[in-house]
């Protein structure tokens, strides 16, 4: 079952913050986050493996609430380079099922 | 180190023709995944291999699609006969092993247009 992401699209000004949510109706064993820029391949951001786990990479971080079967991606003080489509992936028994994506546009 | 290599990068063909997409995974990676991306359906997993063996092909849309991995460094996705609705970007990805705890590395994709 495909995870559901919200919102579908976000427009920000440089320096603003954003949160992207990912939820699943089935148990989440792990959550992956990828970013895809227009015309390019998805690029890995991070994996969260355990409930309660939080990770950060530069000013992008994520949390994983296993009980609520959801994960959130936090983008702090957004930069122009953050623009793209963000996908969460539900990991289970060897494969990933991706959400529909959240398009983020950062304007100067 | 070279990343995942896919060829061709672009393919334009006519309905009914056979199409073969190629992928070379990252050396040492044991798992290979084929995805299809369209605006309507997003990023869909078609099939994945572990140690050259197909593990799950439940995402393959129909019998017109087939995939092989004859060795650890090469995989093909074939569509025969192709139809306009097959137009999409096809990505190949590889990871060190299967399992939800492994990062996947994506190739640049093949943009397929079926006229």
């Amino acid at each position: 079952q495909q995870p559901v992401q919200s919102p579908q699209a976000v427009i920000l000004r440089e320096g603003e913050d954003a949160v992207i949510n990912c939820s699943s109706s089935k148990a989440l064993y792990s959550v992956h986050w990828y970013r895809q820029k227009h015309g390019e391949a998805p690029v890995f951001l991070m994996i969260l493996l355990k409930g309660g786990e939080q990770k950060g990479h530069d000013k992008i971080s994520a949390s994983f609430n296993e009980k609520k079967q959801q994960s959130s991606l936090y983008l702090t003080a957004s930069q122009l380079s953050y623009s793209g489509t963000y996908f969460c992936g539900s990991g289970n028994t060897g494969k990933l099922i991706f959400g529909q994506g959240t398009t983020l546009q950062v304007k100067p | 180190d070279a990343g995942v290599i896919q060829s061709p990068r672009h393919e334009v063909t006519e309905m009914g023709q056979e199409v073969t997409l190629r992928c070379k995974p990252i050396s040492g990676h044991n798992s290979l995944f084929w995805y299809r991306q369209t605006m309507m359906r997003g990023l869909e997993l078609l099939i994945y291999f572990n140690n050259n063996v197909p593990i799950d092909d439940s995402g393959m849309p129909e019998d017109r699609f087939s995939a092989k991995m004859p060795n650890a460094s090469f995989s093909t996705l074939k569509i025969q006969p192709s139809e306009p609705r097959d137009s999409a970007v096809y990505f190949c990805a590889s990871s060190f092993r299967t399992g939800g705890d492994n990062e996947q590395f994506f190739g640049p994709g093949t943009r397929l247009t079926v006229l």
Side-chain angles (χ1 to χ4, degrees), chain A residues 86-97:
Chain A
Y86 290 78
F87 293 94
C88 69
S90 156
N92 185 15
T93 59
K95 65 184 185 182
L96 280 181
I97 305 298

Side-chain angles (χ1 to χ4, degrees), chain B residues 2 5 10 12 14 25 49 59 68 82-84 89 91 93-95 104:
Chain B
I5 298 171
H10 301 272
V12 180
E14 292 191 347
F49 296 83
K68 292 182 179 179
S82 57
E83 297 182 2
V89 180
F91 288 105
S94 70
S95 68
Q104 292 188 15

Side-chain angles (χ1 to χ4, degrees), chain A residues 93-105:
Chain A
T93 59
K95 65 184 185 182
L96 280 181
I97 305 298
F98 285 99
Q100 80 279 19
T102 295
T103 300
L104 180 76
Q105 185 180 3

Side-chain angles (χ1 to χ4, degrees), chain B residues 4-32:
Chain B
V4 176
I5 298 171
Q6 290 187 248
S7 66
R9 294 292 308 274
H10 301 272
E11 176 83 29
V12 180
T13 190
E14 292 191 347
M15 184 172 65
Q17 297 297 305
E18 178 180 296
V19 174
T20 300
L21 311 182
R22 297 173 177 80
C23 175
K24 177 178 168 56
I26 292 172
S27 177
H29 281 190
N30 297 324
S31 300
L32 183 139

Side-chain angles (χ1 to χ4, degrees), chain B residues 23-41:
Chain B
C23 175
K24 177 178 168 56
I26 292 172
S27 177
H29 281 190
N30 297 324
S31 300
L32 183 139
F33 307 81
W34 282 101
Y35 292 91
R36 177 173 69 175
Q37 186 173 38
T38 60
M39 287 293 292
M40 290 296 294
R41 300 177 69 91

